[in-house]
Amino acid sequence: MFSIGSEVGSDVAEAALKEVHAELKRLRTVRVEAEELNLVKNYMSGNLLKSLNGPFALGEMMRMLHEFHLPEDYYSQYILAIQSTTSEQVLQVAEKYLNEEQMTTVAVGGAFT
């Protein structure tokens, strides 16, 4: 599942949706710059490490390994996969999965015209 969420006023909701579609198209057609990609890689890696904070969180991560029959080195391999991702790979995945014409849009609140 992939989702994009935003909280905008009903007066700008349609413009916001158009902007989301423009960004999806940009991801499918323009290679991500190295600086931006590194920023996202560091954010994702840090987020995973932050989720290991404390014994209960660590226990939950271990439970997931067991429940989903994942290898013991799953999380370290996950970090390596994040850090080794290239701009070309991001472009290929975006081309494959980020087509707004194949997505369902749900808007709550004001009406769209």
Side-chain angles (χ1 to χ4, degrees):
M1 184 177 103
F2 174 77
S3 68
I4 299 171
S6 180
E7 294 182 29
V8 299
S10 59
D11 57 325
V12 295
E14 193 167 344
L17 184 58
K18 285 180 183 178
E19 187 61 32
V20 167
H21 288 176
E23 286 299 315
L24 290 172
K25 182 178 181 179
R26 188 170 77 87
L27 283 168
R28 289 193 318 268
T29 57
V30 178
R31 210 173 256 121
V32 177
E33 295 289 330
E35 185 177 341
E36 184 176 7
L37 183 59
N38 285 331
L39 184 69
V40 172
K41 288 179 183 184
N42 290 336
Y43 172 80
M44 290 179 69
S45 298
N47 225 21
L48 176 65
L49 295 174
K50 187 173 85 172
S51 70
L52 294 171
N53 187 13
F56 294 111
L58 186 57
E60 178 64 17
M61 298 294 257
M62 294 299 109
R63 182 194 64 77
M64 288 177 59
L65 288 178
H66 177 72
E67 183 176 331
F68 296 108
H69 308 287
L70 299 170
E72 289 181 10
D73 68 344
Y74 172 79
Y75 294 112
S76 60
Q77 292 301 314
Y78 181 74
I79 296 285
L80 289 173
I82 290 170
Q83 293 302 322
S84 65
T85 299
T86 66
S87 294
E88 183 60 36
Q89 289 171 318
V90 172
L91 189 64
Q92 289 172 355
V93 169
E95 287 173 350
K96 184 173 182 178
Y97 295 109
L98 298 184
N99 185 343
E100 64 275 4
E101 293 176 9
Q102 297 174 341
M103 295 180 176
T104 300
T105 301
V106 178
V108 178
F112 280 86
T113 58

